[in-house]
Amino acid sequence: MSTPEYIRAIRASAGHRLLLLPGVTAVVFDDRGRVLLGRRSDTGRWSVVGGIAEPGEQPAQTAVREVYEETAVRCVPERVVLVQMLQPVTYANGDICQFQDITFRCRATGGEARVNDHESLEVGWFEPDALPALEPFALDRIHRALRHEPTWFEAPAESAE
Protein backbone atom coordinates (compact mmCIF):
# COMPACT_ATOMS: atom_id res chain seq x y z
CA MET A 1 0.00 0.00 0.00
CA SER A 2 1.54 3.30 -0.98
CA THR A 3 1.34 6.15 1.50
CA PRO A 4 -0.94 9.03 0.43
CA GLU A 5 0.74 12.43 0.23
CA TYR A 6 -1.42 13.93 3.01
CA ILE A 7 -0.17 11.24 5.42
CA ARG A 8 3.44 11.97 4.42
CA ALA A 9 2.80 15.62 5.33
CA ILE A 10 1.41 14.61 8.74
CA ARG A 11 4.36 12.30 9.33
CA ALA A 12 6.74 15.20 8.68
CA SER A 13 5.56 16.80 11.95
CA ALA A 14 4.21 13.79 13.88
CA GLY A 15 7.24 11.60 13.37
CA HIS A 16 6.58 7.93 14.09
CA ARG A 17 3.77 8.57 16.62
CA LEU A 18 0.50 6.67 16.36
CA LEU A 19 -1.82 7.84 13.57
CA LEU A 20 -5.46 6.76 13.48
CA LEU A 21 -6.35 6.23 9.82
CA PRO A 22 -9.61 5.53 7.94
CA GLY A 23 -9.23 2.20 6.15
CA VAL A 24 -11.68 0.62 3.73
CA THR A 25 -11.85 -3.00 2.55
CA ALA A 26 -13.81 -4.12 -0.53
CA VAL A 27 -14.94 -7.72 -0.90
CA VAL A 28 -15.93 -7.85 -4.56
CA PHE A 29 -18.02 -10.63 -6.11
CA ASP A 30 -18.72 -11.18 -9.80
CA ASP A 31 -21.93 -12.54 -11.34
CA ARG A 32 -20.62 -16.10 -10.89
CA GLY A 33 -20.11 -15.61 -7.15
CA ARG A 34 -16.32 -15.51 -7.34
CA VAL A 35 -14.35 -13.15 -5.11
CA LEU A 36 -11.71 -10.75 -6.41
CA LEU A 37 -8.28 -11.01 -4.76
CA GLY A 38 -4.92 -9.40 -5.30
CA ARG A 39 -1.50 -10.78 -4.40
CA ARG A 40 0.13 -7.88 -2.57
CA SER A 41 3.55 -6.64 -3.65
CA ASP A 42 4.53 -5.74 -0.07
CA THR A 43 3.85 -9.17 1.48
CA GLY A 44 3.53 -11.51 -1.50
CA ARG A 45 0.25 -12.79 0.00
CA TRP A 46 -3.22 -12.90 -1.51
CA SER A 47 -5.78 -10.59 0.08
CA VAL A 48 -8.96 -8.63 -0.43
CA VAL A 49 -8.66 -5.12 -1.85
CA GLY A 50 -8.35 -2.17 0.51
CA GLY A 51 -6.84 1.20 1.14
CA ILE A 52 -6.93 4.50 2.95
CA ALA A 53 -9.62 7.12 2.39
CA GLU A 54 -8.49 10.45 0.96
CA PRO A 55 -9.54 13.67 2.74
CA GLY A 56 -13.23 14.40 2.06
CA GLU A 57 -13.80 11.02 0.37
CA GLN A 58 -16.78 8.94 1.42
CA PRO A 59 -15.87 5.36 2.47
CA ALA A 60 -17.95 3.76 -0.32
CA GLN A 61 -16.13 5.92 -2.88
CA THR A 62 -12.81 4.82 -1.38
CA ALA A 63 -13.83 1.20 -1.98
CA VAL A 64 -14.71 1.91 -5.62
CA ARG A 65 -11.49 3.87 -6.20
CA GLU A 66 -9.20 1.31 -4.55
CA VAL A 67 -10.73 -1.61 -6.45
CA TYR A 68 -10.28 0.16 -9.77
CA GLU A 69 -6.78 1.45 -8.98
CA GLU A 70 -5.52 -1.97 -7.94
CA THR A 71 -7.46 -4.32 -10.26
CA ALA A 72 -9.07 -2.32 -13.13
CA VAL A 73 -12.45 -3.75 -12.05
CA ARG A 74 -15.45 -1.43 -11.72
CA CYS A 75 -17.73 -2.15 -8.78
CA VAL A 76 -20.72 -0.94 -6.79
CA PRO A 77 -20.81 -1.18 -2.98
CA GLU A 78 -23.93 -3.08 -1.89
CA ARG A 79 -23.72 -3.06 1.90
CA VAL A 80 -21.47 -2.52 4.90
CA VAL A 81 -20.21 -5.86 6.19
CA LEU A 82 -18.36 -4.70 9.28
CA VAL A 83 -16.86 -1.74 11.11
CA GLN A 84 -13.83 -2.49 13.25
CA MET A 85 -10.93 -0.78 14.96
CA LEU A 86 -7.86 -2.86 14.19
CA GLN A 87 -4.86 -3.33 16.45
CA PRO A 88 -2.01 -0.82 16.01
CA VAL A 89 0.71 -1.87 13.59
CA THR A 90 4.33 -0.77 13.62
CA TYR A 91 6.02 -0.68 10.23
CA ALA A 92 9.70 -1.41 9.56
CA ASN A 93 10.47 2.32 9.41
CA GLY A 94 9.02 2.81 12.93
CA ASP A 95 5.73 4.44 11.87
CA ILE A 96 2.78 3.37 14.02
CA CYS A 97 -0.74 3.29 12.56
CA GLN A 98 -4.11 2.07 13.71
CA PHE A 99 -6.78 1.58 11.07
CA GLN A 100 -10.51 1.90 11.55
CA ASP A 101 -11.75 -0.48 8.86
CA ILE A 102 -15.10 -0.30 7.11
CA THR A 103 -15.63 -3.38 4.93
CA PHE A 104 -18.06 -3.28 2.00
CA ARG A 105 -19.55 -6.14 0.02
CA CYS A 106 -19.31 -5.01 -3.59
CA ARG A 107 -20.63 -6.24 -6.93
CA ALA A 108 -18.41 -6.11 -10.00
CA THR A 109 -19.97 -4.11 -12.84
CA GLY A 110 -17.23 -4.07 -15.48
CA GLY A 111 -13.57 -4.06 -16.36
CA GLU A 112 -11.15 -6.94 -16.74
CA ALA A 113 -9.29 -8.05 -13.62
CA ARG A 114 -5.59 -7.28 -14.06
CA VAL A 115 -2.71 -5.76 -12.17
CA ASN A 116 -3.39 -2.04 -12.47
CA ASP A 117 -0.74 -0.51 -10.18
CA HIS A 118 2.42 -1.31 -8.25
CA GLU A 119 0.54 -2.61 -5.17
CA SER A 120 -0.30 -6.01 -6.66
CA LEU A 121 1.75 -8.81 -8.20
CA GLU A 122 -1.30 -10.73 -9.46
CA VAL A 123 -5.06 -10.25 -9.52
CA GLY A 124 -7.69 -12.94 -9.94
CA TRP A 125 -11.18 -14.27 -9.33
CA PHE A 126 -11.57 -17.20 -6.93
CA GLU A 127 -14.42 -19.50 -5.99
CA PRO A 128 -15.21 -19.01 -2.28
CA ASP A 129 -14.57 -22.73 -1.64
CA ALA A 130 -11.21 -22.66 -3.51
CA LEU A 131 -9.40 -19.65 -2.05
CA PRO A 132 -5.62 -19.37 -1.92
CA ALA A 133 -3.92 -19.08 1.48
CA LEU A 134 -5.22 -15.89 3.13
CA GLU A 135 -4.57 -14.03 6.36
CA PRO A 136 -7.38 -14.39 8.95
CA PHE A 137 -8.28 -10.70 8.33
CA ALA A 138 -9.16 -11.39 4.69
CA LEU A 139 -10.85 -14.74 5.30
CA ASP A 140 -13.08 -13.26 7.99
CA ARG A 141 -14.20 -10.44 5.71
CA ILE A 142 -14.99 -12.81 2.84
CA HIS A 143 -16.98 -15.14 5.09
CA ARG A 144 -18.93 -12.24 6.58
CA ALA A 145 -19.61 -10.79 3.11
CA LEU A 146 -21.03 -14.14 1.97
CA ARG A 147 -23.54 -14.19 4.82
CA HIS A 148 -26.54 -11.93 4.67
CA GLU A 149 -26.37 -10.71 8.24
CA PRO A 150 -26.52 -7.28 9.83
CA THR A 151 -23.34 -5.21 9.87
CA TRP A 152 -20.88 -6.61 12.41
CA PHE A 153 -19.30 -4.37 15.02
CA GLU A 154 -17.80 -5.06 18.43
CA ALA A 155 -20.38 -4.22 21.07
CA PRO A 156 -19.26 -1.72 23.70
CA ALA A 157 -18.33 -3.07 27.12
CA GLU A 158 -20.99 -2.82 29.78
CA SER A 159 -20.80 0.42 31.70
CA ALA A 160 -20.06 0.13 35.44
CA GLU A 161 -22.33 3.09 36.31
Side-chain angles (χ1 to χ4, degrees), residues 52 71 78 89 96-97 127 131 133 137:
I52 300 170
T71 70
E78 295 181 315
V89 60
I96 305 169
C97 297
E127 297 291 339
L131 297 171
F137 170 92

Side-chain angles (χ1 to χ4, degrees), residues 1 3 11 16 42-43 88-97:
M1 174 187 312
T3 304
R11 281 282 179 218
H16 297 299
D42 59 349
T43 65
V89 60
T90 302
Y91 292 97
N93 68 357
D95 288 351
I96 305 169
C97 297

